[in-house]
Short mmCIF file of all heavy atoms in Angstrom, two decimals:
data_model
loop_
_atom_site.label_atom_id
_atom_site.label_comp_id
_atom_site.label_asym_id
_atom_site.label_seq_id
_atom_site.Cartn_x
_atom_site.Cartn_y
_atom_site.Cartn_z
N TYR A 1 2.29 5.67 -10.71
CA TYR A 1 3.29 4.62 -10.64
C TYR A 1 3.63 4.09 -12.04
O TYR A 1 2.71 4.03 -12.88
CB TYR A 1 2.86 3.43 -9.72
CG TYR A 1 2.50 3.83 -8.42
CD1 TYR A 1 1.18 4.18 -8.04
CD2 TYR A 1 3.52 3.94 -7.41
CE1 TYR A 1 0.90 4.54 -6.72
CE2 TYR A 1 3.18 4.33 -6.05
CZ TYR A 1 1.86 4.67 -5.76
OH TYR A 1 1.60 5.07 -4.52
N LEU A 2 4.85 3.71 -12.27
CA LEU A 2 5.13 3.08 -13.57
C LEU A 2 4.70 1.61 -13.51
O LEU A 2 4.76 0.96 -12.44
CB LEU A 2 6.62 3.06 -13.82
CG LEU A 2 7.27 4.47 -14.03
CD1 LEU A 2 8.78 4.25 -14.23
CD2 LEU A 2 6.59 5.11 -15.23
N CYS A 3 4.22 1.04 -14.60
CA CYS A 3 3.82 -0.30 -14.66
C CYS A 3 4.09 -0.83 -16.11
O CYS A 3 4.52 -0.05 -16.93
CB CYS A 3 2.34 -0.47 -14.35
SG CYS A 3 1.28 0.35 -15.50
N THR A 4 3.89 -2.11 -16.27
CA THR A 4 4.14 -2.68 -17.67
C THR A 4 3.04 -2.18 -18.61
O THR A 4 1.95 -1.77 -18.12
CB THR A 4 4.09 -4.21 -17.61
OG1 THR A 4 2.79 -4.60 -17.14
CG2 THR A 4 5.15 -4.74 -16.71
N THR A 5 3.33 -2.20 -19.89
CA THR A 5 2.29 -1.75 -20.91
C THR A 5 1.16 -2.76 -20.81
O THR A 5 -0.03 -2.36 -21.09
CB THR A 5 2.89 -1.69 -22.24
OG1 THR A 5 3.54 -3.01 -22.57
CG2 THR A 5 3.89 -0.60 -22.40
N GLU A 6 1.35 -4.01 -20.49
CA GLU A 6 0.26 -4.98 -20.45
C GLU A 6 -0.69 -4.60 -19.33
O GLU A 6 -1.94 -4.71 -19.54
CB GLU A 6 0.74 -6.41 -20.28
CG GLU A 6 1.57 -6.97 -21.45
CD GLU A 6 3.01 -6.55 -21.39
OE1 GLU A 6 3.42 -6.08 -20.37
OE2 GLU A 6 3.63 -6.66 -22.52
N LYS A 7 -0.24 -4.33 -18.10
CA LYS A 7 -1.16 -3.88 -17.01
C LYS A 7 -1.84 -2.68 -17.38
O LYS A 7 -3.02 -2.50 -17.13
CB LYS A 7 -0.25 -3.76 -15.82
CG LYS A 7 -1.13 -3.36 -14.59
CD LYS A 7 -0.42 -3.14 -13.31
CE LYS A 7 -1.37 -2.72 -12.19
NZ LYS A 7 -0.68 -2.50 -10.99
N ALA A 8 -1.20 -1.61 -17.96
CA ALA A 8 -1.79 -0.40 -18.37
C ALA A 8 -2.88 -0.64 -19.35
O ALA A 8 -4.03 -0.05 -19.26
CB ALA A 8 -0.80 0.60 -18.93
N GLN A 9 -2.62 -1.54 -20.35
CA GLN A 9 -3.73 -1.89 -21.37
C GLN A 9 -4.83 -2.51 -20.74
O GLN A 9 -6.03 -2.24 -21.06
CB GLN A 9 -3.09 -2.66 -22.48
CG GLN A 9 -3.94 -2.93 -23.65
CD GLN A 9 -4.23 -1.58 -24.38
OE1 GLN A 9 -3.37 -0.72 -24.47
NE2 GLN A 9 -5.50 -1.38 -24.82
N ALA A 10 -4.64 -3.41 -19.74
CA ALA A 10 -5.78 -4.06 -19.07
C ALA A 10 -6.66 -3.02 -18.24
O ALA A 10 -7.81 -3.14 -18.26
CB ALA A 10 -5.26 -5.10 -18.12
N VAL A 11 -5.95 -2.12 -17.60
CA VAL A 11 -6.72 -1.07 -16.87
C VAL A 11 -7.42 -0.17 -17.84
O VAL A 11 -8.64 0.23 -17.56
CB VAL A 11 -5.70 -0.25 -16.00
CG1 VAL A 11 -6.34 0.91 -15.43
CG2 VAL A 11 -5.07 -1.16 -14.92
N ILE A 12 -6.85 0.21 -18.95
CA ILE A 12 -7.55 1.03 -19.90
C ILE A 12 -8.77 0.37 -20.48
O ILE A 12 -9.90 0.92 -20.63
CB ILE A 12 -6.62 1.42 -21.15
CG1 ILE A 12 -5.57 2.34 -20.56
CG2 ILE A 12 -7.33 1.97 -22.24
CD1 ILE A 12 -4.34 2.56 -21.50
N GLU A 13 -8.66 -1.01 -20.79
CA GLU A 13 -9.82 -1.79 -21.25
C GLU A 13 -10.92 -1.85 -20.22
O GLU A 13 -12.06 -1.77 -20.54
CB GLU A 13 -9.36 -3.18 -21.67
CG GLU A 13 -8.60 -3.11 -23.00
CD GLU A 13 -7.94 -4.48 -23.30
OE1 GLU A 13 -8.17 -5.43 -22.52
OE2 GLU A 13 -7.20 -4.55 -24.29
N LYS A 14 -10.47 -2.02 -18.92
CA LYS A 14 -11.51 -2.07 -17.85
C LYS A 14 -12.28 -0.75 -17.71
O LYS A 14 -13.40 -0.80 -17.51
CB LYS A 14 -10.72 -2.42 -16.55
CG LYS A 14 -11.72 -2.53 -15.34
CD LYS A 14 -10.87 -2.96 -14.07
CE LYS A 14 -11.78 -3.15 -12.92
NZ LYS A 14 -10.96 -3.40 -11.67
N ALA A 15 -11.55 0.35 -17.89
CA ALA A 15 -12.15 1.66 -17.82
C ALA A 15 -13.15 1.83 -18.98
O ALA A 15 -14.27 2.34 -18.82
CB ALA A 15 -11.13 2.85 -17.87
N GLU A 16 -12.87 1.46 -20.17
CA GLU A 16 -13.69 1.50 -21.28
C GLU A 16 -14.94 0.67 -21.13
O GLU A 16 -16.08 0.98 -21.48
CB GLU A 16 -12.92 1.10 -22.59
CG GLU A 16 -11.92 2.06 -23.04
CD GLU A 16 -11.09 1.63 -24.17
OE1 GLU A 16 -11.29 0.44 -24.71
OE2 GLU A 16 -10.24 2.43 -24.66
N GLN A 17 -14.69 -0.58 -20.57
CA GLN A 17 -15.87 -1.50 -20.28
C GLN A 17 -16.81 -0.85 -19.28
O GLN A 17 -17.99 -0.92 -19.41
CB GLN A 17 -15.40 -2.76 -19.76
CG GLN A 17 -16.43 -3.79 -19.47
CD GLN A 17 -15.80 -5.10 -18.91
OE1 GLN A 17 -14.65 -5.20 -18.63
NE2 GLN A 17 -16.71 -6.10 -18.73
N ARG A 18 -16.27 -0.26 -18.19
CA ARG A 18 -17.13 0.39 -17.18
C ARG A 18 -17.82 1.58 -17.84
O ARG A 18 -19.04 1.77 -17.46
CB ARG A 18 -16.24 0.93 -16.04
CG ARG A 18 -17.05 1.53 -14.94
CD ARG A 18 -16.15 1.91 -13.74
NE ARG A 18 -15.68 0.75 -13.06
CZ ARG A 18 -14.90 0.80 -11.94
NH1 ARG A 18 -14.50 1.99 -11.50
NH2 ARG A 18 -14.53 -0.33 -11.38
N LYS A 19 -17.25 2.36 -18.67
CA LYS A 19 -17.86 3.42 -19.31
C LYS A 19 -19.03 3.01 -20.20
O LYS A 19 -20.12 3.59 -20.18
CB LYS A 19 -16.88 4.20 -20.17
CG LYS A 19 -17.49 5.52 -20.84
CD LYS A 19 -16.34 6.24 -21.57
CE LYS A 19 -16.91 7.48 -22.21
NZ LYS A 19 -15.92 8.12 -23.01
N ARG A 20 -18.85 1.87 -20.99
CA ARG A 20 -19.87 1.37 -21.85
C ARG A 20 -21.00 0.84 -21.03
O ARG A 20 -22.20 0.97 -21.27
CB ARG A 20 -19.26 0.23 -22.72
CG ARG A 20 -18.53 0.66 -23.94
CD ARG A 20 -18.35 -0.45 -24.85
NE ARG A 20 -17.60 -1.56 -24.22
CZ ARG A 20 -16.34 -1.76 -24.29
NH1 ARG A 20 -15.55 -0.85 -24.80
NH2 ARG A 20 -15.73 -2.85 -23.69
N GLN A 21 -20.74 0.25 -19.90
CA GLN A 21 -21.80 -0.34 -18.99
C GLN A 21 -22.65 0.88 -18.45
O GLN A 21 -23.84 0.74 -18.44
CB GLN A 21 -21.14 -1.08 -17.89
CG GLN A 21 -22.23 -1.67 -16.96
CD GLN A 21 -21.60 -2.44 -15.71
OE1 GLN A 21 -20.32 -2.46 -15.64
NE2 GLN A 21 -22.40 -3.04 -14.95
N LYS A 22 -21.99 1.87 -18.04
CA LYS A 22 -22.75 3.07 -17.48
C LYS A 22 -23.62 3.67 -18.58
O LYS A 22 -24.74 4.15 -18.31
CB LYS A 22 -21.75 4.09 -16.88
CG LYS A 22 -21.22 3.66 -15.60
CD LYS A 22 -20.60 4.89 -14.90
CE LYS A 22 -20.12 4.49 -13.52
NZ LYS A 22 -21.10 4.63 -12.51
N GLU A 23 -23.04 3.82 -19.85
CA GLU A 23 -23.89 4.31 -20.87
C GLU A 23 -25.09 3.43 -21.22
O GLU A 23 -26.22 3.94 -21.37
CB GLU A 23 -23.00 4.44 -22.14
CG GLU A 23 -22.03 5.56 -22.08
CD GLU A 23 -21.08 5.60 -23.33
OE1 GLU A 23 -21.26 4.69 -24.16
OE2 GLU A 23 -20.26 6.58 -23.32
N GLU A 24 -24.96 2.12 -21.18
CA GLU A 24 -26.05 1.16 -21.39
C GLU A 24 -27.10 1.32 -20.31
O GLU A 24 -28.35 1.31 -20.62
CB GLU A 24 -25.52 -0.31 -21.50
CG GLU A 24 -24.72 -0.47 -22.79
CD GLU A 24 -24.11 -1.83 -22.77
OE1 GLU A 24 -24.36 -2.67 -21.88
OE2 GLU A 24 -23.38 -2.17 -23.73
N GLU A 25 -26.68 1.41 -19.02
CA GLU A 25 -27.59 1.66 -17.92
C GLU A 25 -28.36 2.88 -18.10
O GLU A 25 -29.53 2.98 -17.79
CB GLU A 25 -26.80 1.65 -16.53
CG GLU A 25 -26.30 0.28 -16.21
CD GLU A 25 -25.42 0.24 -14.96
OE1 GLU A 25 -25.25 1.37 -14.43
OE2 GLU A 25 -24.98 -0.78 -14.55
N TYR A 26 -27.69 3.97 -18.55
CA TYR A 26 -28.35 5.22 -18.70
C TYR A 26 -29.38 5.20 -19.85
O TYR A 26 -30.45 5.64 -19.70
CB TYR A 26 -27.29 6.37 -19.02
CG TYR A 26 -27.92 7.67 -19.21
CD1 TYR A 26 -28.45 8.45 -18.13
CD2 TYR A 26 -27.94 8.24 -20.48
CE1 TYR A 26 -29.04 9.68 -18.36
CE2 TYR A 26 -28.53 9.50 -20.75
CZ TYR A 26 -29.10 10.20 -19.64
OH TYR A 26 -29.69 11.43 -19.84
N LYS A 27 -28.94 4.59 -20.92
CA LYS A 27 -29.93 4.38 -22.04
C LYS A 27 -31.15 3.58 -21.62
O LYS A 27 -32.27 3.87 -21.98
CB LYS A 27 -29.27 3.75 -23.20
CG LYS A 27 -28.28 4.60 -23.96
CD LYS A 27 -27.55 3.95 -25.10
CE LYS A 27 -26.53 4.83 -25.75
NZ LYS A 27 -25.79 4.14 -26.80
N ALA A 28 -30.92 2.53 -20.82
CA ALA A 28 -32.03 1.77 -20.39
C ALA A 28 -32.95 2.50 -19.40
O ALA A 28 -34.17 2.38 -19.39
CB ALA A 28 -31.51 0.50 -19.61
N TYR A 29 -32.34 3.40 -18.58
CA TYR A 29 -33.12 4.24 -17.67
C TYR A 29 -33.95 5.21 -18.45
O TYR A 29 -35.06 5.46 -18.12
CB TYR A 29 -32.12 4.95 -16.75
CG TYR A 29 -32.82 6.01 -15.96
CD1 TYR A 29 -33.62 5.72 -14.82
CD2 TYR A 29 -32.58 7.36 -16.27
CE1 TYR A 29 -34.23 6.76 -14.17
CE2 TYR A 29 -33.20 8.40 -15.56
CZ TYR A 29 -33.99 8.04 -14.48
OH TYR A 29 -34.62 9.02 -13.78
N ILE A 30 -33.33 5.85 -19.53
CA ILE A 30 -34.13 6.80 -20.32
C ILE A 30 -35.26 6.12 -21.03
O ILE A 30 -36.40 6.74 -21.17
CB ILE A 30 -33.11 7.50 -21.33
CG1 ILE A 30 -32.14 8.29 -20.59
CG2 ILE A 30 -33.85 8.35 -22.29
CD1 ILE A 30 -32.78 9.52 -19.81
N ALA A 31 -35.01 4.93 -21.54
CA ALA A 31 -36.08 4.18 -22.23
C ALA A 31 -37.17 3.63 -21.37
O ALA A 31 -38.32 3.33 -21.85
CB ALA A 31 -35.42 3.08 -23.07
#
């Protein structure tokens, strides 16, 4: 779907935040 650039930017930031959180959880699990 088409959306505003602001909404797309918010979704992109949310995806990056989720990715960082998963990486931190994985690093904590390995340690």
